[in-house]
Amino acid sequence: MELKSYQQDVINDLENFLDSLNQNSNPAKAFNTYWKERVGEYNPLTNSGMKPYKNNIPNAVHIAIKVPTAGGKTFIAINALQSFNKYFNQGNPKAVVWLVPWSNLLQQTYNAFSNPNHPYREKLNSLFGNKVEVYQKDQLLQGANFNPSSATEQLNIFILNFSSLRIDKAKKEDRKIFQENGALESFRDWTDKDLSLEGTDETALINIIRNLNPIVVVDESHNAESDLSVEMLKNLNPSMVLDLTATPKENSNIISFVSALKLKKDNMVKLPVVVFNHHRKEEVISSALHLQRKLELHAKEEEKITGRYIRPIVLFQAQSNIKGKDNTTFQKIKEQLIKLQIPEEQIKIKVSGIDELKGIDLMDRICPVKYIITVNALKEGWDCPNAYILASLADKSSAVEVEQILGRVLRQPYVTKHQEPLLNMSFVLTASSKFKETLENIVKGLQDAGFSKEDYYAEEAEEIPETREEILENELFGKNEPEKEPDSTEQFDIGKVDYDPNENVTLEDYQTKQELSVISELTKKATVEATNFEQNIENLDIDSNLTLMTEVMKKTPKRYVMEEEYKSIVSDITLPQFYIKVNDEMGDGILFDELKEEETLLNKLNLLDGFNLLNCDTQINFDDAAAEVYKVDYDESKGTSTMNKLSKKAVDILTDSILAKPKDSQIRQVAGIIVGKLGDMTPISDQDLKKYVSRIFENLTSEQIRDIINNDYLYTYKIKEKIKSLTDGFAKDKFVQLLDSNEIFVKPNFQFGESITPIISSPPISKSLYHQEDNMNNFEHRMALEIASMDNVVFWHRNMTRGKGFFINGYSSNHYPDFIIYTSKNNLILLETKGDHLINDDTKEKNKLGKLWIDKAGSNYKYFMVFEKASVEGCYNEGNIMEVLRRL
């Protein structure tokens, strides 16, 4: 099981934030710097930029990830654990408290994490070399496979629910976590008494956890915002708190989010939601049963082709006990379904106090369950991709309250697009006289799951006009009074439900039989709507800036269109970029193989073919990686926090464990610690990385081992920089070689978009390509004013970055020049502005790359690097560039 592209984007965001944290130490400064680089500095007057960091849990870094329902929050968090292990240099990143709000979600999470065949556990084993232990509260209290050595040598995940940690609300048996514990006596000398909670013994489980200074993952974190919940988190003494939720609270420090659009494109969810409102509850039951059977018939046909098994499930929502009446509607629904001769084994009840789903795997082929009766119990962390239909049997006079369980029918089986369109949708069937309010609740349910009001299609059953005879009869016999809606606790008139579970009905029957016309018409219209929905999604260009503002910052972004006068000119401009010729091995599989030469947009990986890290030198100066532990003393007035690394006792235990092994094992284990933190070094394999790092550490002393463990981030940073310099050098040499042999060349590729959506725009300046341009600093703004004043300039554009604008692709990272200028002589000029403090190797390499680009692009293309005042060889400054531009 691998990360989808949008999930990998979240991990990249997390690692970028952690990198900012390592550079700034203070979480508030790291958070504000992280967002300033993405959306500009926060301005309370204009409400622009991301609001500053909220110090919710003092002495801990507190961040949040926003992921819609069915977006794979748990899998993202599992991969995040490796990122914490690589980049987070405080606390014990291998001690993880995984908090869930409900007992059923706790058991579900524990079962998945402890099952060696479950994709979650397989990923954990892969990321942490099979050194993973998962505990529930009772196992920890008993000290089962839990001791000071295991607490520091492997990944330890403690799965707990909120109630076991809330002192004020904890049940008597849950308070054991705060009591002296003889089973944990081995930790007594290991713990720091100063870290113990007041009135508790050092051997209390809570104090063991506090000494581990753990990472805390809070699943469904919107349920943990009360004062008691915040106190609960503080009691854990976390070094990092990671919130996972589809609906973050106002005080959340969001560092990454997943757009609902990406889930739709990746076939993670069943959308649109098709809503149909009937006149009576009996019609809801009839439609639900027929629709389930029709979906099941489609699923069986598709299984013949794909082999994927789906058994569509109906969720019947009974009326809630809002009127104080005996809440027995769920039992009556089951009785009525059985009267229809539906086998009892196919029907299960899941309400407060009754859980007939316990121990049942609804995804198992041998599982018979097709109908689940609930009220709102399924809102609590329950997911079943086979659930397709939500049929509400609430009072007709009520607005159907489906928002809390709507998300249960959104998850897509096998996270893939099915051939039958109906299997890519979910359905809500109601019978409410307050349909408008019902739709508002559905929209709220979609929004609570991270989606939008555009993601459903609704229709209401038409009123059947009365005949002249019926009108006369009503007048004569007083039947024109409104029919009273039966109380929700009364039995349904099941005789009006047209459904025979034993009838041999085919898919063709649903298109021809008159009595099934409601379902036929509903599914026919739904298929058309779904086709339009998918086309709109497919054609939609997901603009990260746009979705960032709308979904996270809750602001309406401004889109700036291209000025009309430049459209005809721009339509003929396609900027060249570097391409490389690659050999794609093709063969007919019978007679011969042949090499087919293809052209592809160049990236650095194309240039690392043949690179061998094991042939490179290992000379690195670690003198400045002294054994100085980063600490920031807590200052309440500044809102900063103390972030300590592993305690000295923990370091001693880990160090002693390593030193007790033979020399070769010592080197391998220390190298493994560092390689585990290097991150993705593609195309270098982990095996080569381990061999290379082992060579670096081949003469380690005991004191150096302690220093590496205590300062692993510093050593990792040095080694990563070394490897990057080696790959950059190799790629540059290869680039020049292939450029000279015409295997790398330029080819027209980039075209300007019809509009741009900058997070922060600059004031309007004449001759700009778009109505307004992206944000500029003071130096860039001065340059734009000067450029706009020139008679020969037709238009200019402040180039967008982060994948939205034009870049020169070369042997290192992509280079986005600041300005693109077009003149009356048909010259296209790229201008890169630099402050004088940025005279370094990176800027020199960018200038060289720009010159190589214009050499291949042609005489009408120019590239200039411009500093403010400094004189740098091969570059210009603000004082002498203008005359050059006027001549072009």
Side-chain angles (χ1 to χ4, degrees):
M1 186 173 181
E2 297 302 323
L3 288 164
K4 289 187 171 290
S5 59
Y6 72 84
Q7 294 173 328
Q8 184 62 57
D9 289 342
V10 174
I11 297 301
N12 293 343
D13 287 343
L14 173 62
E15 294 187 351
N16 287 336
F17 169 76
L18 293 174
D19 192 49
S20 176
L21 182 64
N22 281 322
Q23 295 178 40
N24 292 284
S25 296
N26 181 326
K29 185 177 180 182
F31 180 84
N32 299 338
T33 301
Y34 169 80
W35 279 114
K36 180 181 177 181
E37 293 176 355
R38 294 186 64 175
V39 300
E41 194 161 9
Y42 175 67
N43 186 332
L45 298 178
T46 61
N47 196 29
S48 59
M50 179 63 75
K51 291 182 179 179
Y53 180 83
K54 298 94 178 173
N55 192 27
N56 306 317
I57 311 294
N59 304 326
V61 184
H62 192 184
I63 56 176
I65 293 173
K66 178 184 183 299
V67 185
T69 294
K73 293 192 297 291
T74 301
F75 192 60
I76 290 173
I78 285 171
N79 285 269
L81 297 183
Q82 186 193 38
S83 299
F84 289 132
N85 189 49
K86 288 187 294 184
Y87 289 90
F88 190 55
N89 206 38
Q90 291 82 39
N92 183 355
K94 288 190 176 181
V96 178
V97 176
W98 197 289
L99 281 178
V100 297
W102 311 295
S103 58
N104 65 327
L105 185 56
L106 183 149
Q107 198 59 47
Q108 179 181 305
T109 305
Y110 176 78
N111 291 343
F113 284 14
S114 56
N115 178 1
N117 297 318
H118 194 283
Y120 289 171
R121 181 53 186 257
E122 289 177 344
K123 191 64 178 182
L124 285 167
N125 286 339
S126 172
L127 294 174
F128 292 91
N130 294 304
K131 294 184 177 180
V132 181
E133 195 68 50
V134 182
Y135 304 89
Q136 290 192 76
K137 182 190 65 177
D138 289 345
Q139 294 168 305
L140 292 169
L141 290 172
Q142 295 166 10
N145 298 319
F146 183 53
N147 54 60
S149 293
S150 65
T152 55
E153 288 186 347
Q154 62 189 15
L155 175 68
N156 300 276
I157 303 178
F158 313 139
I159 302 178
L160 306 171
N161 59 12
F162 296 174
S163 62
S164 64
L165 294 171
R166 287 176 174 145
I167 298 177
D168 290 358
K169 291 189 176 181
K171 298 177 183 177
K172 185 176 180 180
E173 61 270 21
D174 285 332
R175 296 185 65 86
K176 292 178 181 178
I177 197 172
F178 300 96
Q179 297 173 357
E180 181 179 359
N181 191 335
L184 299 176
E185 187 65 31
S186 61
F187 283 96
R188 184 176 294 279
D189 295 333
W190 181 83
T191 57
D192 185 344
K193 292 182 180 180
D194 293 337
L195 283 177
S196 296
L197 288 176
E198 185 177 356
T200 61
D201 188 79
E202 294 99 303
T203 62
L205 178 57
I206 189 66
N207 291 328
I208 309 300
I209 294 174
R210 286 175 60 80
N211 273 266
L212 287 170
N213 203 201
I215 303 287
V216 176
V217 176
V218 187
D219 201 356
E220 305 289 353
S221 63
H222 54 276
N223 293 286
E225 296 297 329
S226 67
D227 291 341
L228 279 175
S229 297
V230 172
E231 187 65 26
M232 165 193 73
L233 292 173
K234 291 179 181 177
N235 285 340
L236 291 170
N237 186 36
S239 54
M240 168 74 72
V241 178
L242 174 64
D243 289 345
L244 306 173
T245 179
T247 53
K249 298 297 184 180
E250 183 64 26
N251 66 342
S252 299
N253 298 311
I254 300 173
I255 56 99
S256 187
F257 77 102
V258 174
S259 166
L261 295 175
K262 293 185 178 179
L263 264 67
K264 299 171 195 176
K265 279 201 167 188
D266 277 356
N267 304 303
M268 297 291 288
V269 285
K270 299 194 286 280
L271 289 176
V273 176
V274 179
V275 186
F276 191 85
N277 195 47
H278 299 75
H279 296 303
R280 299 182 59 84
K281 297 181 209 176
E282 291 85 352
E283 295 170 351
V284 172
I285 296 174
S286 181
S287 290
L289 297 176
H290 282 295
L291 181 57
Q292 187 280 334
R293 182 153 61 185
K294 184 171 186 178
L295 292 177
E296 189 168 25
L297 289 170
H298 278 299
K300 288 179 179 178
E301 289 300 311
E302 185 144 327
E303 185 183 5
K304 295 176 183 177
I305 302 171
T306 65
R308 292 191 288 264
Y309 170 74
I310 298 174
R311 183 183 64 266
I313 291 175
V314 180
L315 306 183
F316 283 109
Q317 185 184 28
Q319 174 69 39
S320 62
N321 188 24
I322 57 174
K323 298 178 182 178
K325 298 174 182 176
D326 180 24
N327 192 9
T328 58
T329 54
F330 52 85
Q331 293 287 3
K332 287 185 169 60
I333 294 171
K334 183 173 183 179
E335 292 170 6
Q336 300 303 324
L337 294 178
I338 291 174
K339 280 185 178 181
L340 287 172
Q341 299 184 351
I342 293 176
E344 187 172 357
E345 64 177 3
Q346 295 181 6
I347 310 166
K348 299 297 177 184
I349 294 175
K350 176 75 166 93
V351 295
S352 179
I354 302 177
D355 184 5
E356 295 180 353
L357 292 177
K358 191 171 184 179
I360 294 178
D361 181 3
L362 292 169
M363 303 300 293
D364 197 316
R365 282 176 177 268
I366 65 172
C367 176
V369 178
K370 296 181 182 180
Y371 313 100
I372 298 172
I373 305 169
T374 186
V375 179
N376 273 329
L378 294 181
K379 69 182 181 181
E380 299 182 349
W382 184 88
D383 282 302
C384 175
N386 277 351
Y388 269 83
I389 305 162
L390 174 54
S392 176
L393 299 175
D395 287 341
K396 185 176 176 62
S397 59
S398 302
V400 179
E401 298 176 353
V402 300
E403 61 268 26
Q404 291 185 313
I405 63 172
L406 180 62
R408 303 310 100 194
V409 297
L410 293 180
R411 192 178 294 271
Q412 176 78 299
Y414 303 101
V415 292
T416 187
K417 182 179 178 181
H418 305 295
Q419 295 181 19
E420 169 52 47
L422 292 176
L423 295 176
N424 298 318
M425 296 177 254
S426 49
F427 300 84
V428 176
L429 306 178
T430 64
S432 170
S433 60
K434 296 183 178 180
F435 192 45
K436 181 176 180 294
E437 291 90 334
T438 294
L439 290 180
E440 290 174 355
N441 290 339
I442 288 172
V443 169
K444 185 178 185 302
L446 284 166
Q447 291 173 336
D448 286 348
F451 300 97
S452 76
K453 61 183 180 181
E454 309 296 329
D455 297 329
Y456 79 92
Y457 161 70
E459 189 171 333
E460 194 166 11
E462 295 181 2
E463 292 285 350
I464 301 174
E466 294 180 310
T467 64
R468 293 181 60 186
E469 291 77 8
E470 287 173 331
I471 294 172
L472 181 60
E473 182 182 359
N474 289 338
E475 290 293 336
L476 290 174
F477 297 100
K479 293 184 179 181
N480 57 341
E481 295 294 326
E483 183 180 354
K484 184 181 178 182
E485 170 71 11
D487 186 85
S488 62
T489 59
E490 295 180 2
Q491 293 189 5
F492 304 115
D493 186 355
I494 205 66
K496 294 184 178 180
V497 175
D498 171 40
Y499 183 77
D500 180 0
N502 300 312
E503 185 181 11
N504 186 20
V505 180
T506 65
L507 282 172
E508 290 74 19
D509 292 331
Y510 280 96
Q511 309 301 329
T512 59
K513 292 184 70 172
Q514 184 64 34
E515 60 267 28
L516 302 178
S517 60
V518 172
I519 291 301
S520 296
E521 287 302 309
L522 173 63
T523 52
K524 183 178 179 181
K525 291 179 180 179
T527 301
V528 173
E529 289 297 323
T531 301
N532 294 334
F533 181 88
E534 289 185 4
Q535 287 177 349
N536 291 337
I537 294 299
E538 190 65 31
N539 297 330
L540 194 62
D541 181 24
I542 299 178
D543 187 333
S544 296
N545 289 346
L546 181 66
T547 51
L548 173 70
M549 294 189 73
T550 56
E551 297 185 30
V552 177
M553 302 172 71
K554 304 298 182 185
K555 300 172 185 176
T556 303
K558 289 186 177 180
R559 184 179 292 275
Y560 299 103
V561 298
M562 185 182 295
E563 296 288 5
E564 196 67 35
E565 61 186 298
Y566 304 130
K567 286 185 177 180
S568 59
I569 301 173
V570 168
S571 64
D572 294 328
I573 298 176
T574 305
L575 277 69
Q577 290 175 293
F578 284 113
Y579 275 71
I580 184 172
K581 294 178 181 178
V582 294
N583 291 325
D584 182 24
E585 189 170 323
M586 305 290 291
D588 60 9
I590 301 175
L591 298 177
F592 61 89
D593 289 337
E594 62 180 9
L595 292 178
K596 179 182 178 182
E597 191 171 74
E598 292 188 347
E599 300 172 352
T600 185
L601 193 66
L602 175 71
N603 64 58
K604 183 180 176 180
L605 289 179
N606 299 134
L607 300 171
L608 291 179
D609 185 28
F611 176 77
N612 189 344
L613 181 63
L614 301 182
N615 292 336
C616 299
D617 73 88
T618 59
Q619 299 303 310
I620 305 175
N621 180 15
F622 290 117
D623 290 344
D624 53 350
E628 181 64 32
V629 179
Y630 282 110
K631 287 187 178 181
V632 181
D633 293 331
Y634 179 71
D635 183 337
E636 192 170 350
S637 64
K638 297 180 180 178
T640 57
S641 61
T642 302
M643 298 184 296
N644 296 316
K645 300 177 61 178
L646 282 174
S647 68
K648 184 177 183 303
K649 292 179 181 177
V651 171
D652 288 342
I653 290 173
L654 182 57
T655 305
D656 292 344
S657 172
I658 293 174
L659 292 177
K661 298 173 182 177
K663 187 68 175 181
D664 288 348
S665 296
Q666 293 177 24
I667 294 172
R668 280 198 304 270
Q669 190 161 349
V670 173
I673 292 172
I674 299 300
V675 170
K677 292 176 176 290
L678 284 175
D680 182 18
M681 302 294 288
T682 305
I684 306 170
S685 67
D686 280 354
Q687 184 178 9
D688 282 358
L689 285 172
K690 288 176 183 176
K691 290 179 180 178
Y692 182 75
V693 176
S694 294
R695 280 173 51 202
I696 294 173
F697 293 149
E698 59 186 359
N699 295 313
L700 283 180
T701 64
S702 299
E703 192 55 40
Q704 286 172 326
I705 288 177
R706 186 180 302 276
D707 193 44
I708 293 169
I709 295 171
N710 214 11
N711 297 280
D712 49 9
Y713 172 75
L714 296 174
Y715 283 86
T716 302
Y717 175 81
K718 281 280 190 178
I719 292 172
K720 197 168 189 174
E721 286 296 300
K722 173 67 176 182
I723 295 174
K724 185 178 183 303
S725 69
L726 293 170
T727 56
D728 281 352
F730 183 93
K732 182 180 178 181
D733 291 343
K734 190 74 167 287
F735 178 85
V736 173
Q737 182 186 69
L738 296 179
L739 196 66
D740 289 342
S741 61
N742 295 326
E743 291 179 64
I744 289 178
F745 54 95
V746 296
K747 178 179 173 181
N749 184 55
F750 178 87
Q751 293 183 310
F752 295 102
E754 294 181 358
S755 62
I756 59 173
T757 313
I759 294 291
I760 302 175
S761 61
S762 292
I765 299 176
S766 63
K767 297 184 181 180
S768 61
L769 180 58
Y770 297 92
H771 186 61
Q772 282 184 231
E773 296 282 345
D774 199 6
N775 189 42
M776 293 180 275
N777 61 34
N778 291 336
F779 179 29
E780 292 165 348
H781 191 258
R782 291 199 309 270
M783 292 295 295
L785 290 172
E786 288 281 355
I787 293 166
S789 68
M790 295 182 181
D791 294 337
N792 64 316
V793 170
V794 176
F795 68 79
W796 64 273
H797 169 53
R798 172 65 168 91
N799 190 31
M800 303 281 283
T801 58
R802 297 186 176 274
K804 303 303 296 182
F806 170 77
F807 59 88
I808 304 177
N809 51 329
Y811 40 82
S812 187
S813 57
N814 293 330
H815 171 33
Y816 292 83
D818 294 317
F819 292 99
I820 301 175
I821 306 165
Y822 187 75
T823 71
S824 55
K825 294 182 179 179
N826 299 326
N827 290 314
L828 194 140
I829 306 163
L830 303 182
L831 209 65
E832 172 71 1
T833 59
K834 291 290 183 185
D836 292 347
H837 63 289
L838 293 174
I839 303 173
N840 53 39
D841 291 341
D842 180 63
T843 56
K844 292 177 182 177
E845 290 301 327
K846 284 181 178 177
N847 190 43
K848 290 178 183 177
L849 180 63
K851 300 302 184 186
L852 290 171
W853 177 79
I854 61 173
D855 183 53
K856 295 295 181 180
S859 59
N860 279 33
Y861 293 94
K862 302 293 180 182
Y863 174 92
F864 303 114
M865 181 170 284
V866 182
F867 290 89
E868 286 191 82
K869 297 179 180 178
S871 295
V872 178
E873 184 178 357
C875 302
Y876 288 87
N877 59 37
E878 193 174 358
N880 57 27
I881 186 61
M882 295 304 167
E883 184 58 33
V884 177
L885 296 180
R886 287 190 184 94
R887 293 174 178 272
L888 292 172

